[in-house]
Amino acid sequence: MTTYSAVRTTGIYCRPGCGAKPLAENVETFELPAAAEAAGYRACLRCRPYRVAGTVADEAPELVCRAVQLIITGVLDDADEAALAARLGLSARHLRRMFNDHLGVTPDQFARSRRAHFARRLLDDSELTIADIAFASGFGSLRQFNRAMREIFRSTPRELRERRRRTDRLAADGGLVLRMPYTPPYDWPAMIAFLEARAIPGVESVIDGVYRRTIALDGDPGLLELAAGGPEHLILRAHLPYWEGVIHVVERAGTLVGLETEPVLATAQLTGDPTIGPLIKARPGIRVPGAWAPFEIAVASVVRDLLSSGHRQSLAQLVEAVGTPVAGLGYGLTHAFPSAETVARQYDQPGRLGDTLRALANEVAVGNIKLDGGEPLETLVPALTRIDGISATAAHHIALRLGARDAFPGEPTTDSEAWRPWRALAYLHLLQ
């Protein structure tokens, strides 16, 4: 886990490896850049901590991690901390207390820091205008953007762009190209193999080590491409209909490939297990994949579970029947995955599979089942299995992809009980 050193005498915080050598008695440590910034420190200009992964370690309680996932999806863009707390069944005061105790910031401070750091990377790496960067980063106005950047970086966006280094700029031969930072170890080959084995025909593809998928933003199609980059980042190329809110596209892509949470405590506790420990030592960079589109993951999980063979063909038929056609992408990508409302109304597959998927789609569409990552495992699994045709195995696979750290799609055993509450990571290691 990355920790950040803040020097009281200079008011600057740095990431590990920075050349600065302050006296130990003048140093205060923080787990997140946001916490250092909330305490009044500004980012070092030499090591530029905003360019490394600012992930939340799994040492934080699961409820805090679920709140973080909701923030990543943009809950605080149009709502306040009270709404976020209500979604989690808490008071706003209790949620703020938990964030302060475990992350050193309030939810609002956490969200603002992520927006500012994302904007700073766009100023460095892209040729987007300052106005485009403000709205791409989730700020509501240029005034709000300028104020936040001055408070966090002590400079205006224009001054920050003038300081960027030549090596920061990424060539963009179509689309927006961004670095996706992570904290090593991270096993991209294992992640892309997992995604390739579960790719939905017409919607996802893996060719020559590049993961591609169609997306829909407010009904308009787009394309994402993820590939290996440097030793501490992936490369994301996004072809989008507009730039507003790009931060959530990037963060959802990061969630999909397991970049948003570090399995620090899970790895430490599972390393001593006689079954999982050797697997972790062999491949220490395994991460739990998330979901770009939760309903899509739910449908695919149910189809794979109900059909011992032919599940890819069935998913392809569903996509062709009710998905949104997207022309001219290549790579076998032809459609965006349909919404829950569309499947509930238009999918006319007969038999048990069709009945199950329509029932699932209807429950999601009317809000009886929430797939936003805010539900605890003990609530989500029973809600899913109440639908005829959805097994506990499928429900746990859905929960795993939505971030439930103790989800376990395998057959429960005495050994698996010993892996609690980190069975999701243990399951991913067993798949290798």
Side-chain angles (χ1 to χ4, degrees):
M1 179 180 63
T2 301
T3 56
Y4 300 84
S5 300
V7 185
R8 298 185 184 93
T9 54
T10 63
I12 294 172
Y13 75 92
C14 307
R15 61 167 163 159
C18 183
K21 299 185 183 298
L23 296 174
E25 59 265 28
N26 293 329
V27 174
E28 185 177 2
T29 60
F30 296 90
E31 291 186 9
L32 292 175
E37 291 156 6
Y41 295 97
R42 63 181 174 86
C44 174
L45 297 178
R46 179 188 300 175
C47 66
R48 304 189 297 170
Y50 63 89
R51 296 192 65 82
V52 301
T55 52
V56 175
D58 59 359
E59 295 170 316
E62 186 175 26
L63 190 145
V64 171
C65 292
R66 285 194 279 121
V68 167
Q69 290 303 311
L70 291 171
I71 292 172
I72 286 172
T73 63
V75 166
L76 289 183
D77 285 2
D78 302 311
D80 57 15
E81 290 179 347
L84 173 61
R87 173 65 189 89
L88 296 166
L90 306 172
S91 69
R93 181 178 180 182
H94 184 48
L95 180 64
R96 284 193 294 270
R97 185 186 304 117
M98 292 192 70
F99 263 66
N100 272 313
D101 289 348
H102 296 284
L103 302 184
V105 289
T106 67
D108 277 335
Q109 288 170 333
F110 177 82
R112 189 182 74 145
S113 177
R114 288 182 71 95
R115 288 194 290 266
H117 283 218
F118 182 76
R120 183 75 192 268
R121 297 207 307 273
L122 286 179
L123 287 167
D124 286 351
D125 297 354
S126 78
E127 298 301 329
L128 292 180
T129 68
I130 288 174
D132 282 340
I133 288 172
F135 295 108
S137 305
F139 289 96
S141 66
L142 274 171
R143 178 178 295 179
Q144 184 188 73
F145 173 53
N146 288 325
R147 182 172 63 249
M149 300 304 278
R150 283 196 300 268
E151 290 175 357
I152 291 175
F153 295 109
R154 307 297 196 271
S155 299
T156 67
R158 191 170 303 281
E159 291 168 339
L160 294 172
R161 169 152 274 178
E162 290 172 353
R163 290 185 200 147
R164 66 177 173 175
R165 302 174 188 176
R166 184 174 299 176
T167 53
D168 292 338
R169 304 180 193 183
L170 293 171
D173 184 17
L176 177 66
V177 184
L178 294 168
R179 293 177 179 90
M180 302 277 287
Y182 59 77
T183 303
Y186 175 76
D187 197 328
W188 172 244
M191 180 61 69
I192 202 169
F194 180 95
L195 295 174
E196 182 176 17
R198 292 158 182 79
I200 298 174
V203 175
E204 302 171 286
S205 75
V206 175
I207 299 174
D208 296 331
V210 180
Y211 170 82
R212 296 179 176 88
R213 67 159 298 120
T214 61
I215 64 172
L217 299 177
D218 295 332
D220 294 320
L223 170 67
L224 299 183
E225 302 174 295
L226 276 162
E232 295 186 358
H233 69 269
L234 302 178
I235 291 291
L236 170 68
R237 188 184 299 272
H239 304 265
L240 305 174
Y242 50 81
W243 301 128
E244 185 176 351
V246 166
I247 182 173
H248 300 310
V249 173
V250 176
E251 290 182 330
R252 286 170 65 187
T255 298
L256 170 65
V257 293
L259 299 187
E260 293 295 339
T261 304
E262 282 186 73
V264 176
L265 187 57
T267 298
Q269 294 189 1
L270 291 173
T271 297
D273 183 85
T275 301
I276 306 300
L279 301 177
I280 291 177
K281 291 174 183 176
R283 303 195 75 164
I286 298 293
R287 301 277 183 99
V288 179
W292 166 263
F295 176 68
E296 173 189 303
I297 291 296
V299 169
S301 299
V302 170
V303 172
R304 282 196 304 270
D305 186 60
L306 283 176
L307 302 179
S308 56
S309 63
H311 61 272
R312 287 180 60 84
Q313 180 181 359
S314 182
L315 284 168
Q317 290 171 346
L318 183 150
V319 167
E320 291 173 7
V322 295
T324 303
V326 181
L329 296 183
Y331 309 105
L333 302 176
T334 59
H335 291 76
F337 200 82
S339 67
E341 292 79 4
T342 298
V343 173
R345 293 194 315 266
Q346 300 180 20
Y347 185 54
D348 59 1
Q349 173 74 23
R352 189 185 189 201
L353 177 63
D355 291 342
T356 299
L357 294 183
R358 282 188 293 273
L360 170 64
N362 186 68
E363 289 295 285
V364 172
V366 301
N368 291 337
I369 292 179
K370 294 180 173 62
L371 300 177
D372 58 4
E375 294 294 313
L377 182 67
E378 57 271 20
T379 300
L380 180 60
V381 168
L384 288 166
T385 54
R386 278 196 289 270
I387 297 174
D388 183 40
I390 299 184
S391 69
T393 297
H396 272 264
H397 191 275
I398 295 165
L400 180 149
R401 298 292 298 274
L402 297 185
R405 57 178 63 168
D406 201 36
F408 189 70
E411 188 67 31
T413 64
T414 302
D415 287 343
S416 67
E417 287 298 308
W419 304 332
R420 289 182 181 272
W422 312 111
R423 293 188 301 171
L425 181 62
Y427 176 76
L428 265 293
H429 278 283
L430 291 171
L431 289 180
Q432 303 307 312

